[in-house]
Amino acid sequence: QQYLEITLNKQKYILSHCPFEQWPGMEEGVVHLHGHTHGCIDSSDMNVLYKRFDVGMDSNNMKPVLLDDIEKEMLTRQNYKRH
């Protein structure tokens, strides 16, 4: 399997090394956490509008990302809607 599914604080997450353009539950608010990109796609629509987040240290001032910070950030984003 290419990813891990977990639930923390009643929120479902998909964890993977690489970012996905589509992931299970993305239309229902499942959050996708990934690394791999070294900050190169942080401004893409998927990482700004929707519930995908690069947790790599080089994308986050060389610091680990706290779950509280991820949860707060995800409150500002919308569920993906297919057009």
Side-chain angles (χ1 to χ4, degrees), residues 13-56:
Y13 295 89
I14 298 288
L15 285 62
S16 68
H17 176 74
C18 295
F20 298 154
E21 289 298 314
Q22 298 180 4
W23 58 93
M26 65 188 293
E27 293 181 29
E28 291 80 42
V30 173
V31 175
H32 173 35
L33 304 179
H34 68 87
H36 182 70
T37 62
H38 305 279
C40 293
I41 64 168
D42 287 348
S43 62
S44 75
D45 281 352
M46 295 301 287
N47 274 32
V48 175
L49 298 175
Y50 304 116
K51 296 186 177 185
R52 186 175 83 176
F53 191 85
D54 184 348
V55 295

